Amino acid sequence: MGRKGSMDSANIESTYLNEEIEVKWYLPEGFTPFQDYQLCVMQDGEDYFRIGRVATLSDLLHEEMEIEPTIFVGIHYHDKYDRKEKYHPDGKQQHDYIAFLVKEAIPYVEETLHITPAKRILMGDSLAGTLAFMVASQFPSTFHAAIMQSPYMNERVLQQADKVPAGSQLELYQSIGLDETEVDTTTGEISDFLAPNRSFHNALKNKLSVYHYEEFNGNHTWTYWQKDLKKILITML
């Protein structure tokens, strides 16, 4: 079946990271500049497009009018080490990567497409989900929502959750698998993701007016993240 929307991409020369990074976006069918669109920006972008099948979901959900008009933007990593340096709360390049995302990548897409988004949403799985929250909570006037699928948690992330003010307008979706008690991480360590995700939820549950928290039967793999995506997108978009 042919695509209804259209995919495009650009290479952005980042002054913060001192490298060229490809950014892809998928426009819904009938896209018109200067109209109101939501911008859903995904780290692990290639995974979301390829394994998550976001373009197919976009076609389906727009056709059924299950979501507001939304442009999906994907930014990918070079390899797992590059990903860790950019996405991890303690990564050497995290500060510069966030600057690239907020000051270069997103403005580039918005200027190229001639849109001022009605809403900006950050989405990611595992470390990319962690990054979605860290960025959205640090730039509350820029981002309206964050979607975290099985996010990695450490002290830095829990401290950031504590900093979120009561009555915050940030909309959050967080899911974690009941079998995510022994997850192989990039560093080679085995980590329990479930307990710290519950702690994070406890820290935020009374502060946010829109907070969807879900524990699913499953582990730290795309098998479960993909299965949940349709429901998540309908809920948040």
Side-chain angles (χ1 to χ4, degrees), residues 170-187:
L170 178 67
E171 298 176 11
L172 199 58
Y173 190 106
Q174 175 192 0
S175 62
I176 185 71
L178 293 169
D179 297 336
E180 296 192 58
T181 49
E182 295 180 3
V183 177
D184 288 308
T185 61
T186 314
T187 53

Side-chain angles (χ1 to χ4, degrees), residues 158 174 196-206 211 213:
L158 295 170
Q174 175 192 0
N197 265 272
R198 285 174 171 170
S199 300
F200 177 91
H201 172 238
N202 285 331
L204 280 175
K205 66 183 178 189
N206 296 322
Y211 188 0
Y213 174 76

Side-chain angles (χ1 to χ4, degrees), residues 44-53 76-77 83 125 222:
D44 284 358
E46 206 57 46
D47 295 338
Y48 271 98
F49 280 131
R50 202 167 43 84
I51 316 169
R53 302 201 278 276
H76 208 57
Y77 51 88
R83 180 178 182 269
D125 62 288
W222 267 102

Side-chain angles (χ1 to χ4, degrees), residues 114-132:
H114 304 292
I115 57 157
T116 304
K119 195 171 176 180
R120 293 186 192 90
I121 302 100
L122 289 170
M123 178 161 77
D125 62 288
S126 196
L127 268 183
T130 311
L131 187 79

